Structure formats: C-alpha cells, structure tokens
Amino acid sequence: MKQMTLIFVFALSLMYPAHLGLAKEDNTASQKEKRKSLYLKTAAVSNIPWYYLAAIDQYERNIRSAQKELPDPNGLSGILIPDIKWFGLTNPNHKKTDAKLINLMDGFGQDGNGDGKADPDNPEDVLYSMAVYLNNYGPNRDNIKIALWKYYQSGKAVDIITQIAKVYQTFNTIQLSNHDFPIPLKYNFDYDSTWGARRGYGGLRIHEGTDIFADYGTPVKATSYGTIELIGWNRFGGWRVGIRDTQNNYHYFAHLKGYADGIKKGSVVKPGQVIGYVGSSGYGPEGTQGKFPPHLHYGMYRYNGKTDYSFDPYPYLRQWQQQAKQEK
C-alpha cells in the first residue's frame, strides 16, 4: 500500500510540476544554501537586507518559469536584466563586459566580484547590480518599494516581492517548500474534482476550485508558507482568506464560518497553521449563511507577471493528503 502511495505521489509530480515549483532548474537544498550565501554576501556590501534580494530573485524565477518565452532560471541568480538596460541604452556593444565602459554608458550592470567586468551571466554581478540600484533609493522598506515600482512599473510585482521578503525574514530561510492538507485528517471530510464545473449564482461561470465538504466548525489549515493577501467578506465566497506563497501561487479559502485568532491581512502563515473554520457563508450580502451545505472552497491561482490564472487544485490536494497520511 505504501509503495502504491509513493507511485501515486510521484505520478502527480510528473503531471503537475510547474505551478508549485521550478522543475527545470536545480532547486535542491544545497543549491538554495548557495543562493542564500550569495544573498548574505551581497547584503553585507550593499546594506540591502538579504531577504529583499532573495525575494526579487525568487519573484523573477517564478515569472520565468511561468512564461514560456523567457529562458529557464538556471544558476544562482534568477534575475533577468535585458541587455539594453544592462549595457546602456546608447551602448552598441552588448558583448564587451568592461565595467567602466558600461558605467560610462549609464548601464545597469556593476562589477560584483572585483574582476573589472560587469557580466550579465555572472550571478554575483547581477545580484550586486540590483542591490546598487535599490541602494540609490535607500535601504529601508519604503525606499525599496519605490525602487521596485520604478523598476517593474507594477504594483502587483511590488506587493508580491514585499510579501515574499516578509516570509523569508520571518523564517530566516528560503527553504520553504513544504505543504499541508487544509483539513486535519482526524475530521470527517469528502471531496472530488469539481474545478471547471458550472456555477449559476451571479451569472453563469465556472467553478475555480475544489469543494471539500466537512462539518461546521472543522478547522481549516494553511497549505503553504505565505502571507495573507486578502481577508474579509465576498458575496460569492462569504468569509474568505487569500494567501500568497513564495512561488507566486495564491491559495483561496472560501465559505468560512470565521477566522482563527490573530489572522489578519499581512499575517505570515505556515503549513498546518489553523486560519479559520468550515462554514456555509456567501451567496448574498455580508453575513449570509446556509444557502448550501458546509464546505471549504479551495482554489489556486498563479501570477505569471501579467495576470492571476486559475488551475485545478485537486491533484495537489490529493498529493498533500497522501503526504499527511505518511507523516502520521
């Protein structure tokens, strides 16, 4: 039985690799340790906190893994800086990596390891260049947010990067890939694949999630490390919580009865932490309850640098349930 479970989990990892991890790069624990060492080294010479550098790097890795037209994020740095920006707008030579010439041409590139070169393929140079850019605005949180807005021209990018940074700062690590099933296994629950089914309330639409039926008041747990991006009432989802993880995934918990103590917008959570309780809220004005049986609506979305798109959470729920059984 245990062998069958392992085969099932492995099969799911092959079928659904891209959304929750970076399947095409070396994302092992040892590689992540090397990445953090580089963040710490760069932070020490730039005064930019390491977790902001790590968050920018992770955000860019996420975007590159989500957009097929971008190269895969290999190596110690996932930050991709366009040549015209790196070498300078008026620089006709995008192969000469002389740091003094690039600086003269007002390029973004900097020499991060003292070899006299500003090489866009060198992770030390790339990360140091980003740190120098941020430091031009100042090393505190508000200054960094302004710098990020100037660089990405996107409020969404700024929000996600600062959320990732907050998670890294809280846990003092970038090795945060664990997940948990949202319902404790000792409680009664039932679910099936319902993503894409028709829904009629508020107009014809598709169901962007999986419904997990359980008794009123059953605890609901966070499935990942992340930051609470959204909380409160929605006429469709009732009392709901939205958590953004470090892979740009947005985990949506809806139809809750209420929230756990201390859960609020901006809270950092970890897998297995109780965030609320199963209910039947929604499909009406604030406080509406009981229009359907109690259940947790669990949805997953991914931000690809342009938009959040929904994908089927059912395979991941099955995988996390099997993992939770093994850990009992």
Side-chain angles (χ1 to χ4, degrees), residues 17 20 70 86 166 172 225 239 283 287 311-312 323 326:
L20 297 183
L70 297 178
W86 181 270
K166 190 174 182 179
N172 196 33
Y225 292 94
W239 300 116
Y283 280 26
F311 59 94
D312 188 359
Q323 290 172 347
Q326 293 176 32

Side-chain angles (χ1 to χ4, degrees), residues 7-279:
I7 292 172
F8 174 76
V9 172
F10 178 69
L12 284 177
S13 70
L14 293 177
M15 292 168 60
Y16 298 88
H19 293 298
L20 297 183
L22 303 172
K24 296 183 180 180
E25 66 164 315
D26 184 355
N27 213 26
T28 60
S30 62
Q31 183 74 351
K32 285 188 174 183
E33 282 299 321
K34 292 177 183 177
R35 282 163 51 189
K36 188 180 178 185
S37 294
L38 181 58
Y39 304 147
L40 290 170
K41 177 182 176 181
T42 307
V45 298
S46 68
N47 293 321
I48 299 298
W50 75 267
Y51 41 86
Y52 280 110
L53 298 172
I56 295 169
D57 187 52
Q58 185 60 53
Y59 173 80
E60 294 240 358
R61 289 174 187 275
N62 298 340
I63 298 302
R64 289 172 67 176
S65 70
Q67 295 186 19
K68 294 181 179 180
E69 65 271 21
L70 297 178
D72 294 331
N74 296 310
L76 292 182
S77 174
I79 299 172
L80 182 64
I81 299 169
D83 282 351
I84 194 168
K85 188 176 187 69
W86 181 270
F87 291 98
L89 183 63
T90 60
N91 189 347
N93 192 338
H94 288 182
K95 293 185 178 180
K96 192 172 180 60
T97 58
D98 181 85
K100 290 182 180 179
L101 175 62
I102 291 174
N103 184 258
L104 183 65
M105 293 293 181
D106 200 27
F108 190 91
Q110 300 285 334
D111 175 13
N113 59 4
D115 65 356
K117 299 178 180 179
D119 184 353
D121 295 322
N122 184 301
E124 290 184 273
D125 290 353
V126 172
L127 201 63
Y128 180 69
S129 298
M130 180 58 72
V132 169
Y133 167 77
L134 297 175
N135 232 348
N136 288 333
Y137 292 84
N140 65 44
R141 182 176 182 271
D142 289 341
N143 294 140
I144 289 173
K145 289 180 71 173
I146 292 171
L148 291 173
W149 165 253
K150 293 283 188 179
Y151 186 83
Y152 290 103
Q153 295 289 298
S154 166
K156 185 84 167 183
V158 175
D159 289 343
I160 292 177
I161 290 170
T162 53
Q163 287 167 356
I164 294 174
K166 190 174 182 179
V167 175
Y168 287 163
Q169 180 185 17
T170 299
F171 297 105
N172 196 33
T173 182
I174 63 171
Q175 300 200 43
L176 302 171
S177 59
N178 292 343
H179 292 86
D180 198 4
F181 189 70
I183 301 294
L185 299 187
K186 66 180 181 180
Y187 288 82
N188 293 321
F189 62 87
D190 185 43
Y191 68 104
D192 203 348
S193 179
T194 55
W195 186 84
R198 291 163 62 95
R199 291 292 185 268
Y201 178 79
L204 188 63
R205 55 194 171 86
I206 68 165
H207 188 237
E208 295 183 344
T210 294
D211 290 335
I212 306 176
F213 291 90
D215 296 330
Y216 275 108
T218 298
V220 173
K221 301 185 295 180
T223 54
S224 67
Y225 292 94
T227 306
I228 294 181
E229 185 175 292
L230 178 149
I231 188 170
W233 182 266
N234 175 276
R235 73 187 184 97
F236 293 99
W239 300 116
R240 86 292 200 215
V241 174
I243 298 173
R244 181 76 61 176
D245 70 18
T246 59
Q247 302 292 328
N248 286 17
N249 296 307
Y250 181 76
H251 304 257
Y252 182 68
F253 305 77
H255 305 314
L256 300 176
K257 177 183 178 183
Y259 306 116
D261 291 342
I263 295 299
K264 59 185 179 181
K265 186 175 181 178
S267 296
V268 173
V269 298
K270 61 183 179 180
Q273 180 178 341
V274 176
I275 58 173
Y277 304 92
V278 171

